[in-house]
Amino acid sequence: MEDEFADRSSFENMGNEIKEGAAGFNPALIVLLLVLGLLLTFLIGNYVLYYYAQKTLPPKKKKPVSKKKMKRERLKQGVSAPGE
């Protein structure tokens, strides 16, 4: 009978040692992995949205150039503006 109890206690001790060894990850490691995972997901999501927008949205329209700017550019190039 004593042998049975001796075997049982040794198995219980082995179980406790295994539980102590695999108590869990360091909480700081879990937080770090979670933050890095969220950051990576955010960056990849932004890249995918940017790529999708570049493919599907029409190009931006350019603002019309004002008459003053056109006149100034012509004068810089040496071409006289009409009516002068």
Side-chain angles (χ1 to χ4, degrees):
M1 285 280 219
E2 289 181 15
D3 291 337
E4 289 179 21
F5 290 120
D7 289 341
R8 179 176 283 172
S9 64
S10 66
F11 281 122
E12 288 174 2
N13 288 340
M14 284 177 56
N16 289 339
E17 289 174 7
I18 291 171
K19 287 179 185 176
E20 289 174 6
F25 293 105
N26 184 356
L29 179 65
I30 294 173
V31 171
L32 179 66
L33 290 175
L34 183 68
V35 169
L36 288 177
L38 289 173
L39 182 66
L40 192 64
T41 304
F42 176 75
L43 292 174
I44 291 172
N46 275 343
Y47 177 75
V48 168
L49 287 174
Y50 174 78
Y51 184 76
Y52 175 74
Q54 291 297 315
K55 292 289 182 184
T56 57
L57 293 177
K60 277 186 170 179
K61 292 181 180 178
K62 293 183 179 178
K63 291 183 180 179
V65 180
S66 69
K67 290 181 181 179
K68 264 187 182 179
K69 282 188 179 179
M70 284 177 58
K71 188 175 180 180
R72 212 177 294 142
E73 287 297 320
R74 285 186 188 148
L75 287 174
K76 282 182 184 177
Q77 291 176 359
V79 178
S80 62
E84 288 186 11

